[in-house]
């Protein structure tokens, strides 16, 4: 009796999602540390778009450590909205009157800019001191791809901070009912008034449908769906996205380590040619070899020169 021994060496699939709970705020605003008085006003970004040579005394490290996160503004009686929470550290200098903070949506190319100004007299008194600026009034959408910049006013060349940021797109929790072949999916961290799509898919070059997608209504209290599957495979993934055009999708592939997976259903024996053929249902890198099952000890001994590495399929292995 002959069988095929398959060893899964490596599966690389990615899931990138922030699983932290989004902090809530009741109102947005601007704050500055070190007792510095500061105020903000909307800016078009045009007048500060061209940079000037920085004075010789001005360090290029006058701006440092910009950090971006997401907060959820929730006012009683109104729908919640997401905002960027932007923190930056500035070393005060007599050549700097303020900061300009801008966000550019890489999905829609729309930008928002804000000017932050300091009280000039106190700024001069605290020359060289570090002040932390926090601004959280830039409204964003779920799963939005954002490019954030922080520049000095006046805009000095080479004195700039920039960072790309993905707004949270939801968090998956799941449970597998193997007897009924159902995966129950719970979704959190998305706005209450937005619908959300969830589906199962097989991850190849793209994620191919493995059944119909389900809709989670934003206004429904229960944010869960049950999805039917045919086989547990390493490439079986849960995919979710907001019900808006061109929404960013997130994926969770919980079976990528091969646990509970079925890889043997595609073995075919041809009695005429006396060959075995195996084609994986998923893109896995495998080592395949023939072995002979010994009745004496139930041990399957490898057949010499029958091993083969394959990223896709193994066909017509001669017996």
């Amino acid at each position: 009796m002959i069988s095929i021994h398959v060893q899964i060496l490596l599966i690389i699939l990615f899931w990138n999602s922030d699983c932290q709970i989004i902090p809530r705020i009741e109102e947005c605003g601007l704050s500055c540390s070190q007792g510095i008085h500061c105020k903000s006003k909307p800016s078009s970004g045009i007048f500060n778009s061209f940079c000037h040579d920085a004075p010789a005394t001005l360090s290029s490290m006058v701006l440092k450590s910009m950090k971006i996160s997401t907060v959820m503004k929730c006012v009683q009686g109104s729908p919640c909205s997401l905002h960027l929470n932007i923190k930056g550290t500035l070393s005060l200098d007599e050549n700097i009157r303020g900061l300009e903070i801008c966000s550019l949506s890489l999905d829609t190319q729309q930008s928002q800019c804000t000017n932050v100004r300091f009280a000039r007299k106190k700024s001069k008194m605290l020359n060289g001191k570090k002040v932390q600026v926090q601004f959280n009034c830039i409204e964003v959408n779920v799963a939005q791809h954002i490019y954030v910049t922080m520049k000095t006013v006046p805009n000095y060349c080479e004195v700039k901070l920039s960072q790309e940021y993905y707004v949270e797109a939801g968090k998956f929790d799941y449970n597998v009912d193997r007897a009924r072949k159902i995966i129950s999916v719970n979704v959190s961290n998305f706005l209450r008034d937005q619908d959300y799509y969830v589906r199962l898919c097989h991850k190849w070059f793209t994620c191919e449908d493995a059944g119909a997608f389900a809709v989670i209504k934003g206004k429904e209290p229960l944010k869960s769906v049950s999805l039917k599957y045919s086989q547990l495979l390493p490439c079986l993934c849960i995919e979710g996205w907001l019900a808006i055009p061109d929404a960013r999708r997130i994926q969770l592939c919980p079976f990528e380590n091969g646990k509970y997976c079925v890889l043997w259903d595609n073995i075919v024996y041809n009695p005429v040619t006396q060959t075995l053929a195996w084609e994986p249902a998923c893109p896995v890198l495998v080592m395949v070899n023939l072995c002979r099952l010994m009745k004496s000890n139930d041990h399957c001994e490898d057949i010499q020169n029958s091993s083969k590495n394959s990223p896709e399929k193994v066909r017509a292995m001669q017996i």
Side-chain angles (χ1 to χ4, degrees):
M1 181 178 179
I2 297 176
S3 64
I4 294 180
H5 172 66
V6 180
Q7 181 181 5
I8 300 175
L9 299 180
L10 181 64
I11 308 169
I12 302 179
L13 294 170
F14 294 95
W15 172 49
N16 185 12
S17 177
D18 190 338
C19 295
Q20 301 297 319
I21 297 174
I22 300 177
R24 297 196 174 198
I25 60 174
E26 293 185 357
E27 59 182 25
C28 66
L30 170 71
S31 62
C32 296
S33 64
Q34 298 289 349
I36 299 297
H37 176 71
C38 58
K39 59 183 180 179
S40 65
K41 66 176 182 178
S43 168
S44 65
I46 297 174
F47 297 106
N48 204 45
S49 59
F50 300 102
C51 67
H52 310 280
D53 291 335
T57 57
L58 186 67
S59 170
S60 61
M61 298 297 292
V62 68
L63 280 176
K64 56 179 67 176
S65 68
M66 181 174 67
K67 295 181 180 179
I68 307 172
S69 59
T70 309
V71 293
M72 185 180 293
K73 179 183 176 183
C74 297
V75 180
Q76 189 172 5
S78 301
C80 295
S81 57
L82 294 180
H83 293 257
L84 292 183
N85 183 45
I86 303 169
K87 293 181 180 180
T89 302
L90 167 72
S91 294
L92 293 176
D93 189 279
E94 61 182 359
N95 296 295
I96 296 175
R97 299 195 304 270
L99 292 175
E100 184 182 67
I101 301 172
C102 292
S103 70
L104 172 67
S105 170
L106 297 180
D107 305 310
T108 65
Q109 296 302 305
Q110 293 182 339
S111 63
Q112 302 179 60
C113 292
T114 298
N115 247 318
V116 178
R117 296 298 179 104
F118 306 107
R120 297 197 66 180
K121 290 184 179 180
K122 288 189 177 182
S123 296
K124 289 182 179 180
M125 292 172 58
L126 297 174
N127 192 36
K129 296 292 184 179
K130 293 180 180 179
V131 57
Q132 187 177 79
V133 178
Q134 178 175 332
F135 183 69
N136 56 14
C137 284
I138 296 178
E139 188 171 347
V140 292
N141 295 319
V142 174
Q144 197 169 4
H145 188 187
I146 304 290
Y147 183 72
V148 179
T149 58
M150 184 179 288
K151 298 182 286 190
T152 59
V153 178
N155 181 8
Y156 293 119
C157 302
E158 307 301 328
V159 183
K160 175 183 175 181
L161 294 176
S162 60
Q163 184 179 332
E164 288 188 35
Y165 182 75
Y166 282 101
V167 181
E168 284 83 347
K171 173 190 172 183
F172 291 150
D173 292 316
Y174 70 94
N175 182 60
V176 180
D177 186 336
R178 296 179 65 194
R180 299 167 58 202
K181 290 190 173 183
I182 287 176
I183 299 177
S184 300
V185 182
N186 299 311
V187 183
S188 60
N189 280 8
F190 70 97
L191 299 185
R192 297 174 184 174
D193 59 343
Q194 294 279 0
D195 293 349
Y196 202 82
Y197 295 145
V198 182
R199 69 166 182 165
L200 296 179
C201 57
H202 290 146
K203 182 75 172 182
W204 291 81
F205 297 106
T206 59
C207 219
E208 300 174 356
D209 281 327
F213 66 82
V215 181
I216 297 177
K217 294 293 184 180
K219 294 182 179 180
E220 291 180 356
L222 189 63
K223 302 294 191 297
S224 64
V225 292
S226 295
L227 302 172
K228 192 82 175 176
Y229 68 88
S230 58
Q231 290 180 311
L232 287 183
L233 299 168
C235 65
L236 184 64
C237 300
I238 305 166
E239 186 174 69
W241 68 99
L242 200 66
I244 58 175
D246 300 320
R248 176 174 172 250
R249 301 189 179 198
I250 62 169
Q251 292 173 358
L252 171 62
C253 304
F255 315 109
E256 59 186 349
N257 62 0
K259 188 177 182 180
Y260 305 128
C261 290
V262 178
L263 289 174
W264 307 104
D265 289 358
N266 293 330
I267 297 177
V268 178
Y269 173 65
N270 189 327
V272 177
T273 60
Q274 291 190 318
T275 58
L276 281 171
W278 176 76
E279 183 174 356
C282 277
V284 294
L285 178 60
V286 298
M287 177 184 292
V288 181
N289 67 276
L290 296 176
C291 62
R292 181 175 286 106
L293 184 64
M294 309 303 293
K295 294 183 179 180
S296 58
N297 56 9
D298 290 332
H299 177 69
C300 201
E301 294 186 351
D302 290 345
I303 298 176
Q304 290 186 351
N305 302 320
S306 67
S307 297
K308 185 174 182 180
N309 292 324
S310 174
E312 294 181 313
K313 56 191 174 184
V314 180
R315 293 184 183 274
M317 297 188 66
Q318 188 68 37
I319 298 177

